[in-house]
Amino acid sequence: MANRSPYPDTDDGHARRSADRPPGTPRWVKAFGIVAVVLVLLLVAMLLTGHGPGRHMDGQAHVTGDAERS
Amino acid sequence: MTLSPRLRKFVLTVHVASSVGWLGAVACSLVLAAIGLVGEDARLVRAAYLAMGAIGGGVLVPLALASLATGLVQGLGTEWGLFRHYWVLIKLMINVFATVVLLLYTQTLGRLAHLAADPKVGLAELRDPSPALHATGALLLLVVATILSVYKPRGVTPHGWRKQREGRRKRRVGRSDLGHAE
């Protein structure tokens, strides 16, 4: 019989469920969420400690008359 | 709105090409950022920052916007939707986040390129770890988005589950109407 899945990029049309309640959140999504929260907290901590965007450009890099050090 | 199969394939092709192109351009930017950070040759270091500035506005931004736009069309124009499947939703969040950060950071890349073009600015002042950090973060995010696109892990959101139920109900009603007509 032909595949009648509404999801043309998969073979199985994987999200078919017959229960009356919405399915629970998959484990991989929960793991993703935990990693995302940790990263957001890290970003917030960096912003609060002055390591956020614009830190490097505040002084527009000091223009010196020194010869290039290479 | 549902895309015709031909249009869907076309939009999908542009989406894959722009997304993978974006990933490749970020990988190039990471190499240039590393040269800018630890390169010994002063001309090469300056050239790396100049190239990063050009790639930022000329390649990364157009590819990111194309990836986001075609992803939105693809989601809205097919049964996948934007908020029905967790993998689509997470990919959308990654895409929006990476594009916003890129648009903000392009200004920084432009300023670094401007400084690199100024011979009065010493190399020590020019060297900056932030392009390498941003490129590494972007690379990780885009690799995750690529993995999600290919593997399409299972999991529908409550919204997606309701939409699926509605769709099934409509199909059932349509079939029974057809049966009565015969």
Side-chain angles (χ1 to χ4, degrees), chain B residues 122-141:
Chain B
L123 277 196
E125 282 77 36
L126 194 56
R127 290 189 200 276
D128 192 330
S130 105
L133 286 174
H134 281 79
T136 305
L139 201 61
L140 288 174
L141 284 177

Side-chain angles (χ1 to χ4, degrees), chain B residues 1-2 6 21 49 58 63 69 98 101 114 153 155 159 173:
Chain B
M1 180 188 79
T2 307
R6 191 178 286 183
Y49 282 106
L63 287 176
V101 173
H114 186 72
H159 166 73
V173 169

